[in-house]
Amino acid sequence: MSGLTVRIGSTSRDILREIAAREGASMQAMLEKAIEAYRRQSFLHELNSAYGALRRDPKKWLAIAQERSAWDATLGDGIEQRKTATQRKRGNGKKKGTRRHG
């Protein structure tokens, strides 16, 4: 992997060095981890802002609710029915050869 030198302040460097030592990792690995965490945090912040904008617009929020309602119908794909049939074949989910004591 090719590298690039990036200048950071001495305070940030010292903090990064301390974190890396505590984690038992390289400064580069910890910096990459911090950048990824920031990228994810930024994504979630933007997503939250977008949902906030939708909620403030009653027409758009209604459209989202209607779309979710339409997608809810896809949940009835028969998985629960197949699972129940399999459990009946096995005796309500009990493993073969198991007995109930009591």
Side-chain angles (χ1 to χ4, degrees), residues 41-53:
Q41 180 184 3
S42 294
F43 171 79
L44 292 175
H45 178 72
E46 290 172 19
L47 183 66
N48 192 38
S49 294
Y51 266 99

Side-chain angles (χ1 to χ4, degrees), residues 16 19-20 22-41:
L16 181 59
I19 292 169
R22 188 172 53 236
E23 295 289 320
S26 69
M27 289 174 55
Q28 179 180 345
M30 295 312 304
L31 186 56
E32 289 171 356
K33 212 172 184 181
I35 291 168
E36 176 61 13
Y38 180 79
R39 185 192 67 78
R40 290 173 181 229
Q41 180 184 3

Side-chain angles (χ1 to χ4, degrees), residues 61-79:
W61 191 249
L62 178 61
I64 292 290
Q66 289 170 339
E67 184 176 345
R68 286 179 181 166
S69 180
W71 277 102
D72 281 347
T74 65
L75 294 176
D77 61 3
I79 290 174

Side-chain angles (χ1 to χ4, degrees), residues 10-28:
S10 60
T11 302
S12 295
R13 182 202 59 223
D14 293 344
I15 292 169
L16 181 59
R17 183 176 288 143
E18 180 184 320
I19 292 169
R22 188 172 53 236
E23 295 289 320
S26 69
M27 289 174 55
Q28 179 180 345

